[in-house]
Amino acid sequence: MGNGIAHVFARGGYDVVLCDVEQRFLDRALETIGKNLEREVAKNKITAEAKAVALKRIRAVTNRGELAACDFVIEAATEKFEIKTEIFRDLDRLTRPEIILASNTSSISITKLAAQTRRPEKVIGMHFFNPAPVMKLVEVIRGLATSQETFAGVRDLAVKLEKTPVEVNDAPGFVSNRVLMPLLNEAMYAVMEGVATAEAVDEVFKLGMAHPMGPLTLADFIGLDVCLDIMRVLHSGLGDPKYRPCPLLIKMVDAGWLGRKSGRGFYTY
């Protein structure tokens, strides 16, 4: 998601500092951004010159201290509260107090993240959808302390990026994943219980519900580890057993079968 969001901002005319923990992750991100921009050139969505300009706008760094000069920060780390907490505390220390700190979290409480900072009114959720350069929706999530000024600024920024912002209040999974993830989880139960194969489940949804891809293909695309993290947030945050992660999902993640990114999930890649 981080490279997709960087792509969106650079294509939208903004200078981007892309930060990650290792150079190899940054190299891979820049390669992906280049390929995706080239795809847009091939489809006549942008010019070759626009691609070159967008790539020049992205500066890749491993030193988080270089974010201190940024005018807006969006975090897109893995979906674990402990990791995001450490990042937000550090960003609060590094950046100017008037700077908005946004999270691309797909399920974690914005209120809890904001409470890790000295600027809770400046913390907000800005949830892009994968692939970020293509998908139009951005869930804009208010924490309990998020100010109207912060919300309006992020909403307007999303529009400038040619996205469609939808206002959502802070709750586990927000709207998108509170509804989507139980669907994916139930599809996994259907496979685990022998109701149908993964291929059959996906065909039912593609042909019967006109979904562009089946729920298990989508789970592989999202990452099964991410699906599990979100289900655990829903289960603990809402306290309802209907959000209990499918045991098959837990086993697959334990085995390192994370979906497309690991080469194996419900399908082999």
Side-chain angles (χ1 to χ4, degrees):
M1 287 303 296
N3 74 68
I5 294 167
H7 175 151
V8 169
F9 275 85
R11 188 181 61 191
Y14 294 91
D15 292 329
V16 177
V17 180
L18 181 60
C19 183
D20 212 327
V21 293
E22 292 184 30
Q23 186 61 44
R24 62 191 175 100
F25 298 143
L26 292 166
D27 292 341
R28 186 170 64 195
L30 291 171
E31 181 182 1
T32 299
I33 293 168
K35 287 179 180 176
N36 289 337
L37 285 167
E38 185 57 41
R39 196 171 289 124
E40 291 179 346
V41 172
K43 293 180 178 179
N44 294 316
K45 291 184 176 180
I46 62 172
T47 64
E49 181 182 6
K51 171 195 168 183
V53 170
L55 284 172
K56 285 181 181 177
R57 289 193 182 113
I58 302 172
R59 182 165 64 89
V61 302
T62 55
N63 177 9
R64 201 181 288 171
E66 297 199 45
L67 301 175
C70 290
D71 297 318
F72 180 83
V73 180
I74 181 164
E75 165 274 321
T78 189
E79 200 69 0
K80 293 188 183 298
F81 180 69
E82 298 77 14
I83 292 173
K84 291 182 184 292
T85 292
E86 186 275 325
I87 291 172
F88 267 80
R89 287 174 178 164
D90 208 24
L91 291 173
D92 189 46
R93 178 183 63 83
L94 288 168
T95 59
R96 306 189 307 279
E98 69 272 18
I99 299 305
I100 292 172
L101 303 179
S103 176
N104 182 59
T105 179
S106 53
S107 64
I108 291 172
S109 169
I110 300 303
T111 299
K112 283 186 177 181
L113 291 176
Q116 310 306 312
T117 74
R118 294 163 294 178
R119 63 182 91 182
E121 74 286 352
K122 294 283 187 182
V123 177
I124 194 166
M126 194 178 190
H127 180 206
F128 288 79
F129 287 73
N130 199 15
V134 176
M135 302 295 279
K136 288 293 185 183
L137 175 64
V138 173
E139 281 183 314
V140 181
I141 305 113
R142 296 176 184 265
L144 185 63
T146 305
S147 70
Q148 177 59 28
E149 180 184 15
T150 296
F151 171 79
V154 172
R155 177 198 60 203
D156 294 347
L157 176 59
V159 172
K160 288 176 184 174
L161 294 169
E162 300 182 350
K163 300 299 181 184
T164 302
V166 175
E167 180 179 357
V168 177
N169 288 320
D170 193 18
F174 315 128
V175 171
S176 56
N177 283 313
R178 182 170 178 167
V179 176
L180 174 64
M181 284 300 161
L183 167 63
L184 272 54
N185 197 53
E186 196 62 30
M188 296 170 194
Y189 270 109
V191 173
M192 184 184 78
E193 294 170 3
V195 177
T197 64
E199 293 83 357
V201 171
D202 280 352
E203 283 297 289
V204 167
F205 278 85
K206 287 191 292 181
L207 301 179
M209 287 76 167
H211 288 202
M213 68 175 73
L216 300 171
T217 300
L218 179 56
D220 275 356
F221 182 72
I222 293 168
L224 300 186
D225 53 335
V226 175
C227 293
L228 179 57
D229 286 341
I230 295 171
M231 287 306 303
R232 283 174 168 159
V233 168
L234 292 172
H235 193 207
S236 64
L238 297 169
D240 193 318
K242 71 181 180 182
Y243 298 109
R244 182 172 70 95
C246 177
L248 177 59
L249 172 62
I250 296 171
K251 269 187 187 178
M252 293 174 75
V253 172
D254 285 345
W257 298 2
L258 308 182
R260 186 181 292 270
K261 63 187 173 186
S262 70
R264 184 167 185 178
F266 284 94
Y267 298 92
T268 301
Y269 300 91

